[in-house]
Amino acid sequence: MAGPTRTCVGCRKRAPAIELIRFVAAGTGEDLRLQPDPNRRLPGRGAHLHPDPACFALAERRRAFGRALRLTGVADTGLLAEHIRTALPCGTTDDTAAVAAS
Ligand SMILES: [Zn+2]
């Protein structure tokens, strides 16, 4: 069954939405940050990224986060980076990722 597809802001490839991490911008002004949204429930404009550090690095280098989310300032990427570092593809949860990493 084909679900919706989204474009990864890192490698710019389209992929099934379930294979990508959704994230949104949270906070304002000096406290702007990228908030991972694994449950896809947070309101607001979201963007998608493969759970892959290479895609994260690409997106950061291209300043794709700000463009995808229409940000005017520079957002802190720490939360999202941490999420991607601990996430595994193929729909595994954070719990199993933590076990696999230990
Ligand atoms: Zn990607």
Side-chain angles (χ1 to χ4, degrees):
M1 193 174 100
T5 61
R6 296 287 183 271
T7 302
C8 170
V9 296
C11 64
R12 311 287 300 166
K13 286 182 187 145
R14 292 189 74 84
I18 55 166
E19 290 181 11
L20 301 171
I21 291 174
R22 181 180 193 260
F23 60 94
V24 299
T28 51
E30 309 256 303
D31 189 31
L32 201 59
R33 61 197 177 277
L34 300 182
Q35 172 77 50
D37 179 22
N39 297 319
R40 301 167 192 282
R41 286 200 200 116
L42 296 177
R45 168 173 280 271
H48 294 77
L49 189 69
H50 282 113
D52 183 334
C55 287
F56 179 85
L58 263 176
E60 204 166 39
R61 206 166 63 213
R62 290 174 170 159
R63 298 190 180 88
F65 297 128
R67 226 168 17 209
L69 297 172
R70 309 260 166 96
L71 303 177
T72 49
V74 176
D76 183 78
T77 57
L79 270 179
L80 184 62
E82 176 69 12
H83 186 80
I84 285 173
R85 200 176 61 73
T86 56
L88 290 175
C90 304
T92 49
T93 67
D94 283 345
D95 284 348
T96 55
V99 170
S102 63

